[in-house]
């Protein structure tokens, strides 16, 4: 039996379909080349130990019998619940478990550091126990972790951390279809503002309780534009993709999840020659994305920076979860 294993999983960027994907509609999401790694190892003491220095967690530890119980600090929640779910599927052992996570990107960007680390932890732990998990099984355990920790979410970020590449995804993993595209010509601008996904989902839910037909109709329109974007991406028709992203941004504005800062960066990108630009993820802050011809990318980066954003360089041709050592 091996004693130690390291697994990594990529972060993600939502391309189109956020919010609607929480309510049984599709979205398109892409993995990025910045990753989170998790090392799982056996230790002699029967405790669960977690080191996640990137989120300021050092020497966190509790008895194995207490895992998932009592007060859990915010920074340890995904890891502890993920470990609890894996341990609940195997006979009890006297050995303790130590998990160490490391991230290549800041958890402030909205690149899905919690979901990538959940996938890396579950996969590392299963491998440590000599258990082969299919991608589907891995998705189920990780998605269960997300629902137990935050109560809501579509699971799109978990699927991307597992499958990598660019995927067409429907709520809860009902459909996970890799799209035939390698690299996407995107520019990413960070607003400098951290958004809280659950708060924004709740905000949209309130709006849909007040105007159910209008909000449902917006979701239906978003679903249609996501389906058109799927075809545009497959044909590498970036101009059409840009137009569809702009329409998507209009619906997100309508749902009330954009912000002045996001709009500033989005208009700066469009004015500098992007085919299209929109917010990415829950909204309220985090990042915006623009799709642009290579010849305009430098000018767009400059315009976003001038409007107060920070350019984050990523490549989109990223592999899903993998064993590192
Ligand atoms: O802010 P992010 O990157 O976690 O994206 C949230 C996207 C939502 O559709 C609002 C939620 C979800 O789980 O799909």
């Amino acid at each position: 039996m091996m004693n130690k294993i390291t697994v990594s999983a990529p972060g993600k960027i939502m391309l189109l379909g956020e919010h609607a994907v929480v309510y049984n509609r599709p979205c398109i999401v892409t993995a990025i080349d910045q990753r989170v790694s998790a090392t799982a190892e056996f230790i002699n003491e029967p405790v669960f130990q977690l080191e996640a220095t990137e989120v300021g967690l050092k020497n966190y530890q509790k008895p194995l019998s207490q895992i998932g119980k009592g007060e859990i600090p915010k920074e340890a929640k995904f890891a502890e619940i993920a470990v609890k779910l894996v341990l609940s599927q195997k006979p009890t052992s006297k050995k303790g478990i130590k998990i160490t996570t490391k991230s290549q990107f800041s958890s402030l960007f909205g690149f899905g550091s919690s979901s990538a680390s959940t996938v890396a932890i579950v996969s590392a732990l299963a491998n440590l126990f000599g258990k082969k998990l299919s991608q589907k099984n891995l998705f189920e355990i990780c998605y269960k972790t997300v629902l137990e920790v935050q109560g809501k979410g579509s699971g799109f970020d978990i699927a991307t951390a597992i499958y990598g590449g660019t995927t067409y995804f429907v709520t809860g993993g009902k459909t996970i279809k890799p799209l035939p595209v390698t690299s996407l010509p995107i520019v990413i601008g960070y607003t400098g503002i951290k958004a809280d996904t659950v708060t924004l989902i709740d905000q949209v839910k309130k709006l849909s309780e007040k105007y159910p037909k209008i909000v449902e109709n917006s979701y239906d329109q978003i679903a249609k534009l996501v389906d058109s974007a799927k075809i545009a991406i497959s044909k590498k028709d970036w101009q059409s993709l840009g137009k569809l992203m702009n329409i998507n941004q209009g619906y997100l504005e309508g749902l009330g999840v954009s912000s002045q800062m996001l709009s500033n960066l989005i208009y700066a990108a469009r004015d500098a020659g992007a085919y299209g630009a929109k917010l990415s993820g829950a909204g309220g802050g985090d990042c915006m994305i623009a799709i642009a011809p290579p010849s305009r990318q430098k000018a767009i980066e400059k315009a976003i920076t001038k409007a107060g954003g920070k350019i984050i360089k990523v490549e989109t041709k990223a592999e899903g979860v993998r064993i590192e050592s």
Side-chain angles (χ1 to χ4, degrees):
M1 192 156 60
M2 77 181 88
N3 264 323
K4 187 172 175 173
I5 184 160
T6 299
V7 170
S8 78
K12 55 82 193 150
I13 275 284
M14 178 70 102
L15 294 177
L16 306 113
E18 49 273 90
H19 287 288
V21 69
V22 180
Y23 302 98
N24 274 316
R25 270 73 167 196
C27 73
I28 298 177
V29 55
T30 193
I32 56 170
D33 63 344
Q34 300 187 14
R35 308 178 73 86
V36 177
S37 72
T39 301
E41 59 196 298
F42 289 121
I43 48 176
N44 288 330
E45 232 186 311
V47 294
F48 164 59
Q49 252 181 42
L50 177 64
E51 300 280 340
T53 41
E54 70 281 3
V55 287
L57 207 66
K58 268 188 169 175
N59 300 321
Y60 175 73
Q61 119 166 21
K62 61 170 33 171
L64 275 184
S65 59
Q66 290 305 305
I67 197 159
K69 297 180 187 150
E71 185 107 343
I72 308 174
K74 195 168 101 260
E75 298 77 15
K77 269 196 182 142
F78 282 92
E80 185 166 332
I81 300 301
V83 172
K84 180 193 84 172
L85 291 177
V86 179
L87 293 183
S88 70
Q89 295 191 356
K90 65 167 283 301
T92 44
S93 116
K94 287 201 174 65
K95 286 207 173 222
I97 302 288
K98 179 176 176 188
I99 302 283
T100 309
T101 58
K102 289 198 178 102
S103 179
Q104 292 177 328
F105 58 88
S106 160
S107 62
L108 301 177
F109 295 163
F111 284 174
S113 54
S114 305
S115 41
S117 72
T118 301
V119 167
I121 290 169
V122 171
S123 173
L125 210 48
N127 276 292
L128 191 70
F129 293 136
K131 199 172 157 169
K132 284 262 163 287
L133 284 181
S134 65
Q135 287 180 316
K136 197 165 171 286
N137 281 339
L138 181 57
F139 178 82
E140 276 159 13
I141 299 172
C142 296
Y143 186 40
K144 216 168 155 189
T145 305
V146 170
L147 293 182
E148 195 167 324
V149 173
Q150 64 181 35
K152 47 204 96 184
S154 64
F156 78 103
D157 38 7
I158 293 291
T160 310
I162 295 172
Y163 292 82
T166 301
T167 49
Y168 175 90
F169 174 89
V170 180
T171 326
K174 284 187 200 90
T175 305
I176 304 175
K177 191 180 176 329
L179 298 183
V181 65
T182 46
S183 193
L184 294 158
I186 58 171
V187 177
I188 298 176
Y190 175 53
T191 58
I193 300 156
K194 176 78 194 123
D196 181 53
T197 303
V198 173
T199 306
L200 284 144
I201 294 178
D202 288 345
Q203 193 182 306
V204 174
K205 187 158 173 267
K206 276 214 183 88
L207 190 72
S208 81
E209 281 159 9
K210 194 160 163 59
Y211 301 107
K213 284 197 181 137
I214 297 171
V215 172
E216 280 295 314
N217 183 50
S218 301
Y219 293 157
D220 286 340
Q221 299 308 318
I222 292 172
K224 282 184 196 149
L225 70 86
V226 168
D227 282 341
S228 299
K230 182 176 156 212
I231 299 169
I233 289 174
S234 305
K235 291 184 183 159
K236 296 194 172 62
D237 177 359
W238 309 129
Q239 238 158 326
S240 300
L241 178 62
K243 284 207 171 68
L244 292 162
M245 280 168 56
N246 287 345
I247 303 174
N248 197 165
Q249 174 62 18
Y251 284 107
L252 291 165
E253 275 282 356
L255 294 175
V257 296
S258 196
S259 70
Q260 181 70 59
M261 185 61 171
L262 279 165
S263 283
N264 292 349
L265 307 190
I266 288 164
Y267 278 98
R270 288 180 190 166
D271 291 347
Y275 291 138
K278 63 180 278 294
L279 66 84
S280 170
D286 287 351
C287 290
M288 50 72 66
I289 50 168
I291 197 106
S295 62
R296 297 306 302 159
Q297 291 199 353
K298 276 271 158 301
I300 292 166
E301 288 176 10
K302 238 171 124 180
I304 290 174
T305 309
K306 196 165 165 227
K310 180 176 163 19
I311 297 299
I312 307 195
K313 294 268 189 201
V314 299
E315 284 294 326
T316 54
K317 220 175 73 183
E319 204 187 326
V321 64
R322 67 175 182 227
I323 293 175
E324 297 289 351
S325 60

